[in-house]
Amino acid sequence: MKRWIQRLLSAISASLLLACASSSPDVIQRGDAQRLSKVEDGVVLSVRNVVVDGSQSGIGAAVGGVTGAVAGATRGGSNAESNVIGLLVGVAGAAAGNAIERMSTREDATELLVQLKGGERRAVVQARGAEVFVPGDAVILVTTGGKVRIAKAPR
């Protein structure tokens, strides 16, 4: 039983660390450091607040299911009763864990519509960072490894 609790705590810790991962434009991933990026100048046409839906990696469901099954199995009187209760509480725990993971990984973001100097338009959704954009702002689009982020243009 002690090993189950240790494994459960390890799984919960791993899921919390995954939930803390950032997609902020102010945080550069290690693999993108010291890479040449393409930079394009543009002007913000519109700004819209959006929400990026949370992830469902299965970790929340697994942790919730195991927790529920272990807790439920210790409640019944007979072996069969304990197994049924463990199964039912495990399923409920998996559903709750999945919902918790999805809600805890949702992220407020901004959709920016930008017109490039050549006349082309680009729409980019990025997590909210320190910079606040308004229509008319001069910006740069920084593309690194297929990922794009928008920042205010240097003056």
Side-chain angles (χ1 to χ4, degrees):
M1 185 64 151
K2 197 174 193 180
R3 288 186 185 188
W4 274 98
I5 293 172
Q6 289 173 340
R7 289 179 186 165
L8 177 63
L9 290 175
S10 296
I12 290 171
S13 298
S15 66
L16 289 174
L17 287 174
L18 286 173
C20 293
S22 175
S23 64
S24 169
D26 298 331
V27 177
I28 306 300
Q29 294 181 353
R30 181 170 298 283
D32 292 339
Q34 295 184 323
R35 282 191 164 192
L36 183 63
S37 299
K38 178 181 177 185
V39 178
E40 299 174 272
D41 292 308
V43 175
V44 175
L45 296 176
S46 68
V47 179
R48 184 170 74 108
N49 293 329
V50 296
V51 175
V52 176
D53 197 14
S55 65
Q56 293 177 305
S57 67
I59 292 174
V63 170
V66 169
T67 304
V70 170
T74 61
R75 295 288 182 245
S78 68
N79 239 3
E81 188 177 304
S82 289
N83 290 342
V84 170
I85 291 173
L87 176 66
L88 293 175
V89 176
V91 169
N98 189 49
I100 290 169
E101 178 185 15
R102 186 172 180 202
M103 291 305 291
S104 66
T105 56
R106 288 181 84 161
E107 193 168 11
D108 290 331
T110 303
E111 179 186 60
L112 297 154
L113 179 60
V114 176
Q115 182 151 358
L116 302 177
K117 293 250 177 177
E120 291 183 56
R121 294 181 177 181
R122 300 280 192 266
V124 176
V125 174
Q126 67 184 28
R128 291 197 190 134
E131 293 182 314
V132 177
F133 299 97
V134 295
D137 279 347
V139 294
I140 55 172
L141 280 76
V142 181
T143 305
T144 308
K147 295 178 189 172
V148 179
R149 64 184 168 88
I150 296 178
K152 290 199 175 183
R155 297 176 189 219

